[in-house]
Amino acid sequence: MRVIARLLRSSQCLGMQHGVRTRCFNHGKKTSVTSCSERDQNYHTSSSLLKPSEDQTTEGKTRIEWKDIMKGNIVLPQRRTPLEKYHTVKTPRLFLLQGSESFKDIAVLPLEQSSGNASRHHSDEVDKLVDKFAVERSLSTVDIRQLSSSLFSLSHNALRDILQSDGFNMFFTEVAGSCPGMSQGELEDIVFNLALLRYKVHLRSISKEVVKCCEALYDKSVVQCHDWPLRQLMKFCDAFSLFGITKGPLQERLMQRVEDEVPDLTRPEVLQTIFLVGETRQSYPDLMSQLEARFFDLLRTRQLSFVEVGTVCSAFFKSSSTVSSGELMDELRDLLFATELAKFPSYHIVGILKVFRHYYYGYNTLFETVGKQIAAEVNKYPIKSVMQFTLTFATLHIFSQDLMDAAARQIPQQIHRCRSKDVAKLMWSYATMNHEPPQSDVLFGMLQTRVREMLDEMGTYPVYLMLFLLSSAYLSIYPVDLLNHLFSEEFMQRMKEYERKEGSDLRSDLVVIEASARIECPDKLKHRLDMDYLVERTFPSDMCVNAEEDLRQRSELREVAECLKAIMGGASFIKVHNILPYMKTADIEIHVDESNSPIPVRTSSSSQSHLDVTISDDVINQISGLHQDRPRESQPPVRDDNSYHHRTEGGPPSDYEKWLQMVQLPPPVPSSETRIVVEVSSRNHHHFGGKKLLGLHSMKRRQLRKLGYHVIEIPYHDWDLVSRHGEGIQHKYLRQRVLGSSKGILDET
């Protein structure tokens, strides 16, 4: 009894924290706020985040609005710590530059910078050759080789002027046309010298003529590569990766060759091969398994620098290759513990941490330590690294308040540097962890404004606008103008094009966004999700998890359902289903009348879903693995590969009917009864090792309350403790949690 009382008190305290707050924004202005728990809406100046300008300062406290920041009325504090430099080419290849002598035959490395006189000489040479081409409309192969070798030695200003000249681009068109007749030596000189340009010039600054020339050079290399030595093949693949040509026949040829020679590879060759695999963004399971073993040997024998380890780990992550060795992961853990992270670039710290995203258990202490170290140095890291740090912790459900709050102070300093990817994933990290840092309205408002500034970019990458709005919904934030933009006909067309190009399916997340807005921010949407868009492709098998499958996977849900069936008087008094069909966790629904007595759960034919399941003895026995020898015809229907069962007389539901069920909200709760929803949470619904719900699951409970349901939480940590004391204590706990006291039919028991 003392155990139950203690658990009930803790649950009641937790329940008081579930106040509903809905924030709908229209063009950055708060239009409505509804609250079940009072919360101070006035945000005051904080030296840790914002500093008001002189004309905004008054005696006492000053209200800070994020729109004032964007208008320039509020001045952010000046940066004192210089930002860590990040170069799109040099930073990922730092391991090559630090060991240039070892890698010179297998990678394209920049030459030493020329002196001023030499640079002027090369500039004169380039000008002369370009002028010669403009007159003669052709260059000899000797001239082409001379021009390509001189380009890298130019100063930045001279190189920029050359790249923007029409004659230079015409020259590259000529080079592309002369590729078929090039000798092996000419091909090497031109490819390697042009690749050096990427150490000085951003890929976006290179014209389409140069890109087409690189593609022609690549095709020529594919023709000639069959008898190349392995090291030469590596160097060519590295050269083309600098121009974004990271996969194709040349890379496939390299991977085939390497797979047969992994045991004989030198240390530099192992590192360069893993790096090039990562650049392809493709998985080579057999090859990576062998390379993982070589990597482990090098790491265990302390033959790798921290930068090299970070590069290798980043490549594993890019190629979607999961590290299979627990011993290797332990070596990485020990390396992080033993390293003063502040001394190394954030790119390589991020690279090592990324491989831990596949390992949810066993490294909590490590991340506590790393989180504190990163938080102390976060003000020097570029925003893309800040995003990756918060994303890694959120992916693992590990909450580091030091890191999250330090990042929240840093984001406003670099908001102008945020890409659409950064904004979306930063918002996702805070929303997933269900964490609102100090002055969160300021922070989230600035992120919204940055999204509005990048709507053109998000038209190219619509997944990031969708992710941003989905994450905002977790925290009950609904920017109405962005929602209407997302569901507009023009943007949805871009969404379809993106899905076709990337081979992705974003429909399930779009359904969650729209349904959430309809519940928490009704009558604000001008556009709705088009049913034609939903049904034009097959209903995705991972769109939802039916209740029977959830019961099979989650023992605590199955145990609670079985206990409640016994307590309430039979299967007709409880229903296990997805009340919100777009959520992937099942609910246990119970109805009670005005006297708090259970009444049968009525299900109309119109609301019957392919996700429902009745908790009969047969279902429980089947899910529990009992009575395996009973005849097949007595078993409940199960889901096959193509459709959900629980067939009606008319056959299985069509895709159209399934989508209708997904977007259909539950009917209003009658005033004559109370509808109770028992939410049985699992460990992965909470912070790792903690009790706070993640954003998605907190949103679900908030929306159920909004629809009129009375939500009863059965946390996994409570149920684990209760279960140790036997079935009698389980039943007593559930009676008190669900019905509050022994009333009605429960008096007799």
Side-chain angles (χ1 to χ4, degrees):
M1 291 297 293
R2 288 195 298 270
V3 172
I4 293 176
R6 185 170 67 253
L7 290 174
L8 290 175
R9 284 196 298 271
S10 66
S11 298
Q12 289 165 0
C13 292
L14 287 172
M16 294 177 64
Q17 300 174 8
H18 290 302
V20 178
R21 179 180 55 163
T22 302
R23 293 169 285 182
C24 298
F25 293 88
N26 192 0
H27 296 284
K29 296 181 180 179
K30 190 180 297 183
T31 59
S32 67
V33 176
T34 60
S35 177
C36 290
S37 61
E38 292 296 323
R39 181 177 293 196
D40 185 8
Q41 295 297 318
N42 295 322
Y43 292 91
H44 306 294
T45 55
S46 170
S47 59
S48 63
L49 178 61
L50 301 172
K51 178 182 178 182
S53 57
E54 291 183 4
D55 60 342
Q56 289 287 312
T57 305
T58 59
E59 292 184 4
K61 296 179 179 179
T62 303
R63 180 186 175 93
I64 297 298
E65 293 286 353
W66 64 266
K67 57 179 177 289
D68 291 327
I69 300 170
M70 306 316 297
K71 291 178 180 177
N73 297 331
I74 300 297
V75 180
L76 294 174
Q78 295 295 315
R79 172 176 298 284
R80 296 179 180 177
T81 304
L83 272 182
E84 173 188 281
K85 292 182 179 180
Y86 176 85
H87 191 282
T88 54
V89 173
K90 293 180 181 178
T91 302
R93 287 174 164 76
L94 188 59
F95 78 105
L96 297 171
L97 302 177
Q98 289 181 347
S100 56
E101 190 63 30
S102 302
F103 293 98
K104 64 181 181 180
D105 294 332
I106 56 176
V108 176
L109 302 173
L111 306 172
E112 294 183 2
Q113 294 295 318
S114 303
S115 63
N117 291 333
S119 180
R120 284 192 293 274
H121 168 73
H122 287 297
S123 181
D124 293 341
E125 279 294 315
V126 171
D127 288 341
K128 183 170 65 175
L129 290 169
V130 170
D131 291 341
K132 179 180 179 181
F133 174 73
V135 174
E136 301 179 6
R137 292 298 181 192
S138 65
L139 289 174
S140 66
T141 53
V142 174
D143 290 337
I144 291 174
R145 294 169 77 176
Q146 178 61 46
L147 177 58
S148 62
S149 64
S150 298
L151 285 173
F152 182 77
S153 299
L154 297 180
S155 66
H156 284 282
N157 291 336
L159 184 58
R160 184 188 63 237
D161 293 341
I162 287 291
L163 290 175
Q164 293 175 351
S165 67
D166 293 337
F168 187 78
N169 289 327
M170 292 173 64
F171 158 73
F172 270 97
T173 302
E174 175 71 18
V175 173
S178 65
C179 281
M182 285 184 185
S183 67
Q184 176 66 32
E186 292 167 347
L187 180 65
E188 287 184 14
D189 284 350
I190 294 173
V191 168
F192 296 156
N193 286 320
L194 290 181
L196 288 172
L197 290 178
R198 284 289 286 112
Y199 282 95
K200 284 191 172 183
V201 182
H202 196 281
L203 195 59
R204 286 196 297 263
S205 303
I206 298 175
S207 66
K208 62 181 180 181
E209 287 82 6
V210 177
V211 173
K212 289 181 179 179
C213 176
C214 292
E215 291 172 349
L217 291 167
Y218 182 85
D219 293 339
K220 175 67 175 178
S221 302
V222 170
V223 173
Q224 294 191 351
C225 73
H226 298 288
D227 56 351
W228 286 354
L230 180 61
R231 296 175 71 84
Q232 184 179 14
L233 192 55
M234 283 186 182
K235 190 168 184 176
F236 267 86
C237 287
D238 185 66
F240 286 114
S241 71
L242 286 164
F243 279 100
I245 306 175
T246 59
K247 54 187 176 183
L250 198 65
Q251 286 78 8
E252 291 296 327
R253 174 66 176 166
L254 173 63
M255 302 311 160
Q256 292 170 4
R257 286 281 306 278
V258 168
E259 190 167 351
D260 297 330
E261 302 182 31
V262 170
D264 300 323
L265 294 179
T266 64
R267 174 184 167 281
E269 289 170 348
V270 170
L271 296 176
Q272 177 68 336
T273 300
I274 296 175
F275 173 75
L276 291 174
V277 171
E279 292 299 285
T280 68
R281 300 297 203 279
Q282 292 182 317
S283 177
Y284 298 90
D286 294 338
L287 173 60
M288 292 305 286
S289 177
Q290 296 185 65
L291 290 171
E292 179 186 324
R294 291 296 310 273
F295 173 45
F296 177 53
D297 288 340
L298 292 172
L299 182 62
R300 180 174 51 82
T301 54
R302 306 294 187 266
Q303 297 184 52
L304 298 176
S305 69
F306 187 89
V307 167
E308 290 169 337
V309 174
T311 302
V312 169
C313 290
S314 181
F316 267 85
F317 185 82
K318 289 178 182 179
S319 64
S320 301
S321 303
T322 303
V323 174
S324 60
S325 169
E327 292 180 309
L328 174 53
M329 296 303 299
D330 289 344
E331 286 287 342
L332 294 174
R333 175 203 59 198
D334 295 343
L335 174 65
L336 288 171
F337 268 131
T339 302
E340 188 177 347
L341 299 181
K343 294 182 178 180
F344 295 96
S346 59
Y347 175 87
H348 301 95
I349 304 172
V350 167
I352 297 176
L353 292 180
K354 278 182 175 180
V355 299
F356 284 89
R357 292 185 190 177
H358 300 289
Y359 289 82
Y360 286 88
Y361 303 104
Y363 298 102
N364 196 33
T365 303
L366 169 66
F367 276 85
E368 288 178 2
T369 303
V370 170
K372 291 181 183 298
Q373 288 193 54
I374 295 171
E377 301 293 332
V378 76
N379 62 335
K380 75 177 184 181
Y381 295 142
I383 194 65
K384 61 174 63 179
S385 293
V386 175
M387 178 272 288
Q388 291 288 359
F389 286 133
T390 60
L391 179 65
T392 296
F393 276 71
T395 301
L396 294 169
H397 301 169
I398 295 175
F399 179 63
S400 169
Q401 184 157 352
D402 291 334
L403 173 60
M404 299 299 278
D405 289 350
R409 294 190 295 270
Q410 179 65 13
I411 293 168
Q413 303 283 347
Q414 300 190 57
I415 192 70
H416 61 288
R417 301 176 186 270
C418 284
R419 307 163 296 173
S420 57
K421 177 181 181 179
D422 299 324
V423 173
K425 293 190 175 182
L426 283 167
M427 191 68 187
W428 184 88
S429 299
Y430 284 96
T432 294
M433 299 309 294
N434 197 15
H435 178 61
E436 299 186 40
Q439 299 187 341
S440 58
D441 278 14
V442 175
L443 173 64
F444 298 152
M446 294 180 74
L447 291 173
Q448 282 183 41
T449 298
R450 183 59 178 162
V451 169
R452 293 185 180 98
E453 293 172 351
M454 295 188 297
L455 285 179
D456 287 342
E457 179 182 331
M458 288 192 169
T460 305
Y461 304 102
V463 65
Y464 294 132
L465 178 59
M466 184 211 69
L467 180 60
F468 180 83
L469 292 174
L470 177 65
S471 305
S472 299
Y474 288 1
L475 297 173
S476 192
I477 300 174
Y478 294 92
V480 177
D481 59 315
L482 295 178
L483 286 166
N484 284 317
H485 184 79
L486 174 69
F487 293 120
S488 66
E489 183 177 350
E490 178 184 357
F491 196 83
M492 286 304 300
Q493 184 58 40
R494 294 189 178 186
M495 188 77 73
K496 294 177 186 178
E497 294 170 359
Y498 177 85
E499 288 178 309
R500 283 193 292 267
K501 178 182 176 182
E502 298 295 325
S504 58
D505 189 346
L506 306 176
R507 291 177 295 173
S508 60
D509 289 329
L510 290 169
V511 166
V512 175
I513 295 171
E514 192 212 35
S516 299
R518 286 164 57 201
I519 294 172
E520 300 197 71
C521 196
D523 305 323
K524 297 294 183 181
L525 293 181
K526 295 179 182 178
H527 303 289
R528 295 284 300 275
L529 194 55
D530 185 6
M531 281 295 294
D532 291 338
Y533 161 71
L534 294 177
V535 301
E536 67 183 11
R537 287 169 290 167
T538 305
F539 189 84
S541 60
D542 61 347
M543 173 65 205
C544 51
V545 177
N546 64 24
E548 184 175 323
E549 188 171 346
D550 204 15
L551 283 164
R552 181 178 293 108
Q553 293 175 350
R554 297 204 289 140
S555 60
E556 61 273 15
L557 176 65
R558 183 170 65 249
E559 292 168 4
V560 171
E562 192 168 5
C563 286
L564 286 173
K565 186 189 77 168
I567 292 170
M568 297 300 158
S572 63
F573 291 94
I574 73 170
K575 179 181 178 182
V576 181
H577 66 138
N578 298 61
I579 297 176
L580 301 176
Y582 49 85
M583 292 295 183
K584 297 185 178 181
T585 51
D587 315 294
I588 304 175
E589 184 174 355
I590 297 170
H591 295 182
V592 296
D593 60 19
E594 294 177 344
S595 65
N596 206 32
S597 296
I599 57 178
V601 179
R602 297 181 299 275
T603 303
S604 63
S605 58
S606 61
S607 64
Q608 182 68 35
S609 169
H610 61 284
L611 305 176
D612 298 349
V613 64
T614 300
I615 304 300
S616 65
D617 291 336
D618 284 344
V619 170
I620 291 294
N621 287 336
Q622 183 201 27
I623 291 172
S624 303
L626 303 176
H627 305 301
Q628 295 293 327
D629 56 345
R630 66 175 180 271
R632 173 175 289 274
E633 56 269 22
S634 68
Q635 297 178 4
V638 296
R639 184 166 68 87
D640 65 17
D641 293 334
N642 300 314
S643 64
Y644 291 94
H645 281 262
H646 298 293
R647 298 175 183 267
T648 62
E649 292 182 0
S654 65
D655 282 358
Y656 186 83
E657 291 171 324
K658 291 176 184 177
W659 281 116
L660 279 179
Q661 292 170 354
M662 286 295 103
V663 301
Q664 185 178 20
L665 299 180
V669 176
S671 58
S672 61
E673 64 183 44
T674 298
R675 294 191 176 179
I676 298 173
V677 181
V678 179
E679 291 294 333
V680 185
S681 64
S682 300
R683 292 179 185 274
N684 60 353
H685 297 173
H686 298 258
H687 288 183
F688 182 86
K691 297 182 179 181
K692 187 173 183 178
L693 282 169
L694 299 174
L696 173 64
H697 303 285
S698 179
M699 177 181 75
K700 175 186 178 181
R701 287 147 177 79
R702 188 178 65 239
Q703 291 178 4
L704 288 170
R705 292 187 182 93
K706 190 82 172 178
L707 291 169
Y709 291 88
H710 181 61
V711 179
I712 301 295
E713 189 75 34
I714 308 295
Y716 76 91
H717 43 84
D718 282 12
W719 189 250
D720 286 350
L721 184 57
V722 166
S723 297
R724 298 173 191 170
H725 298 272
E727 187 178 275
I729 297 296
Q730 288 178 331
H731 285 201
K732 185 66 175 177
Y733 169 77
L734 289 174
R735 283 193 191 99
Q736 293 185 357
R737 287 293 291 125
V738 175
L739 298 177
S741 62
S742 298
K743 291 185 178 180
I745 62 171
L746 296 181
D747 288 335
E748 301 176 3
T749 64

